[in-house]
Amino acid sequence: MNGTSAEDGVRQAPPMHPPPQLEWKFSQVFGERMAGEEVQEVDIISAIEFDKSGDHLATGDRGGRVVLFERIDARNHGSRKDQERQDSSLSRHPEFRYKTEFQSHEPEFDYLKSLEIEEKINKIRWCQTANGSLFLLSTNDKTIKYWKVQEKKVKRISEMNIDASHAAGNCSGASSRSLGPCLPNGYSGRILNYLSNDLCIPPGGFPSLRLPVVVTSQETSLVSRCQRIYAHAHDYHINSISNNSDGETFISADDLRINLWNLEISNQSFNIVDVKPANMEDLTEVITSAEFHPTHCNMLAYSSSKGSIRLIDLRQSALCDSYSKLFEEHEASGSRSFFTEIIASIADIKFGKDGRHILSRDYMTLKLWDINMDSGPVATFQVHEHLRPKLCDLYENDSIFDKFECCLSGDGLRVATGSYSNLFRVFGCLPGSKETTTLEASKNPMRQQAQNPSRPSRCLSSLTRAVRRGAENQGVDANGNSLDFTIKLPHLAWHPTENSIACAAANSLYMYYA
């Protein structure tokens, strides 16, 4: 019997080492445009979203259309033994195909406010599936719609059962032409002409006339149907919608208010956050993004134009004027300038899958926050630090107001966001990780020699314990080429279970895997 104590018997968890850097490869492209081809404004993609399983992908565009893609690779096909027999060296990555599309929103005009309402899709969110049907929410600036997409078997008319001999006996010039064995989806023009021109109805009708026989074929077609419309609840443009983990409610946010909806009730919503002051001249900040916690149905977070994130608990009060926690980074004294508030405005926030972390994107950086530590971000990733000397020019051409979305990997080990010239950046977010990769939305993502070989600088703060990376790239890009501020990549999404990213470059949808 050895003399080990209880404390010696407790195994200490080994420190988590950062994973190796991913090597990204091109997977697919949808809507690729040819060289010199002009892009139509209505075709530009304005929203991207994977569903929770990762088997479906939805995109929305400025023309108000929603396009759905479905996964077709071998992940769900064949037995496990068959897949194990296959060459393990073959790369497995998500592969998608076009599924269907539908017109979600149309352009409208608000006559009371003399305001045109664009059809552009601002956000798409998947809802829980039921009975093999897909459900999703889509919104433009003012109206949210709840869509159901399902497969239905095609019904056909097999025979009309009109006795042509009776028709000939009762009307001169009647024709005995056959109606054909099968009429898909209704009457053809030939049948209508036959009924109107060649057939006379005698007094009392035809005793042999019976109803047409409708049969259900084995063919299926996808049908998209708008189940509910949630309208007239926002005075300002909707910037966010987010599903609750309870599967029954969702929130919608505009510049000054956040409303809570029940999916089953479209004519009533509850205002849970209202930052509108009594006097609009006293307005100092607006809501920029809002999202529900992934597992706690009573918690949500929203960001502001001042660079802060507020975590609120719906159990505290019906109107959440107060917040549970406030996350903001205190600026260094003497560093404030005319552009400070503009570049501090948060464009997008995302909860990590574990609900422990929040990722935020402002103009210059990505920040990772721990909801248990409100003293500051646990990591800061420099995205546009090399543009700081050009802020005056960016302000003149309004590029400083551009908004870029952000996303986290399903395992929480990496984060990503877009930039200019169709570039997007991927960072490793574990302590000690040096992963900083820049990719181009093209068939050759590494064409810009984007992977930065230099070691990123680290700056530990005793207050925030933040890690800053990516600031070493002070050039415009890795090759010293100037960025094209008219071409940007604002929308991207990370597959929920695998290292695969979908991103939008104008009207083209590019997909990459690692």
Side-chain angles (χ1 to χ4, degrees), residues 243-260:
N243 303 86
N244 198 343
S245 59
D246 62 10
E248 298 178 357
T249 57
F250 71 94
I251 56 170
S252 58
D254 63 23
D255 291 343
L256 299 180
R257 293 186 176 93
I258 300 177
N259 293 332
L260 177 67

Side-chain angles (χ1 to χ4, degrees), residues 317-373:
S317 64
L319 183 61
C320 302
D321 290 326
S322 60
Y323 49 84
S324 300
K325 287 190 177 181
L326 174 66
F327 304 95
E328 59 183 354
E329 187 173 28
H330 302 284
E331 61 189 47
S333 58
S335 62
R336 188 172 182 82
S337 70
F338 173 77
F339 305 108
T340 299
E341 280 198 14
I342 300 176
I343 62 176
S345 177
I346 295 177
D348 188 30
I349 61 171
K350 292 286 194 310
F351 270 102
K353 195 173 183 180
D354 59 359
R356 173 75 182 269
H357 296 90
I358 300 175
L359 182 66
S360 67
R361 172 69 155 98
D362 56 47
Y363 187 74
M364 304 296 287
T365 65
L366 273 174
K367 292 185 174 74
L368 189 66
W369 307 80
D370 188 328
I371 64 172
N372 295 329
M373 192 181 79

Side-chain angles (χ1 to χ4, degrees), residues 294-310:
T295 56
H296 299 323
C297 61
N298 58 287
M299 293 177 60
L300 63 95
Y302 68 92
S303 59
S304 80
S305 57
K306 279 195 170 182
S308 61
I309 301 173
R310 290 171 173 84

Side-chain angles (χ1 to χ4, degrees), residues 252-471:
S252 58
D254 63 23
D255 291 343
L256 299 180
R257 293 186 176 93
I258 300 177
N259 293 332
L260 177 67
W261 300 82
N262 188 298
L263 283 169
E264 302 296 326
I265 304 172
S266 60
N267 60 357
Q268 186 181 38
S269 66
F270 297 94
N271 178 229
I272 57 175
V273 175
D274 189 347
V275 300
K276 183 178 180 180
N279 185 355
M280 286 296 286
E281 293 181 358
D282 299 330
L283 182 67
T284 59
E285 62 179 333
V286 297
I287 299 169
T288 56
S289 183
E291 182 162 298
F292 261 119
H293 192 280
T295 56
H296 299 323
C297 61
N298 58 287
M299 293 177 60
L300 63 95
Y302 68 92
S303 59
S304 80
S305 57
K306 279 195 170 182
S308 61
I309 301 173
R310 290 171 173 84
L311 191 68
I312 62 177
D313 192 335
L314 297 178
R315 298 172 298 183
Q316 290 182 344
S317 64
L319 183 61
C320 302
D321 290 326
S322 60
Y323 49 84
S324 300
K325 287 190 177 181
L326 174 66
F327 304 95
E328 59 183 354
E329 187 173 28
H330 302 284
E331 61 189 47
S333 58
S335 62
R336 188 172 182 82
S337 70
F338 173 77
F339 305 108
T340 299
E341 280 198 14
I342 300 176
I343 62 176
S345 177
I346 295 177
D348 188 30
I349 61 171
K350 292 286 194 310
F351 270 102
K353 195 173 183 180
D354 59 359
R356 173 75 182 269
H357 296 90
I358 300 175
L359 182 66
S360 67
R361 172 69 155 98
D362 56 47
Y363 187 74
M364 304 296 287
T365 65
L366 273 174
K367 292 185 174 74
L368 189 66
W369 307 80
D370 188 328
I371 64 172
N372 295 329
M373 192 181 79
D374 54 5
S375 58
V378 294
T380 301
F381 310 95
Q382 302 295 337
V383 181
H384 285 161
E385 185 62 28
H386 53 278
L387 299 179
R388 192 173 293 274
K390 300 182 178 180
L391 290 180
C392 288
D393 297 333
L394 296 171
Y395 180 78
E396 289 295 328
N397 61 22
D398 288 339
S399 294
I400 199 172
F401 301 105
D402 289 337
K403 299 181 183 299
F404 297 90
E405 294 178 1
C406 58
C407 58
L408 298 93
S409 60
D411 55 16
L413 301 181
R414 296 173 180 87
V415 296
T417 190
S419 182
Y420 293 105
S421 294
N422 282 346
L423 302 178
F424 64 99
R425 306 195 71 183
V426 179
F427 301 92
C429 54
L430 280 185
S433 174
K434 299 179 176 63
E435 184 170 358
T436 303
T437 306
T438 306
L439 304 161
E440 181 186 22
S442 66
K443 288 187 175 181
N444 182 11
M446 306 301 291
R447 182 170 61 183
Q448 298 270 341
Q449 300 175 6
Q451 185 171 324
N452 199 327
S454 61
R455 297 184 62 180
S457 60
R458 299 185 61 190
C459 179
L460 297 179
S461 167
S462 59
L463 292 177
T464 65
R465 300 191 296 276
V467 181
R468 295 181 175 270
R469 292 205 300 278

Side-chain angles (χ1 to χ4, degrees), residues 156-162 179-183 187 210-215:
R156 295 176 179 270
I157 299 176
S158 62
E159 53 183 298
M160 292 293 291
N161 290 327
I162 298 179
L179 296 179
C182 186
L183 304 176
Y187 304 100
R210 295 186 297 274
L211 291 175
V213 177
V214 179
V215 296

Side-chain angles (χ1 to χ4, degrees), residues 141-152:
D141 287 339
K142 296 292 184 180
T143 306
I144 307 164
K145 295 185 179 182
Y146 183 50
W147 290 91
K148 178 181 181 180
V149 181
Q150 64 177 342
E151 285 189 352
K152 283 193 171 183

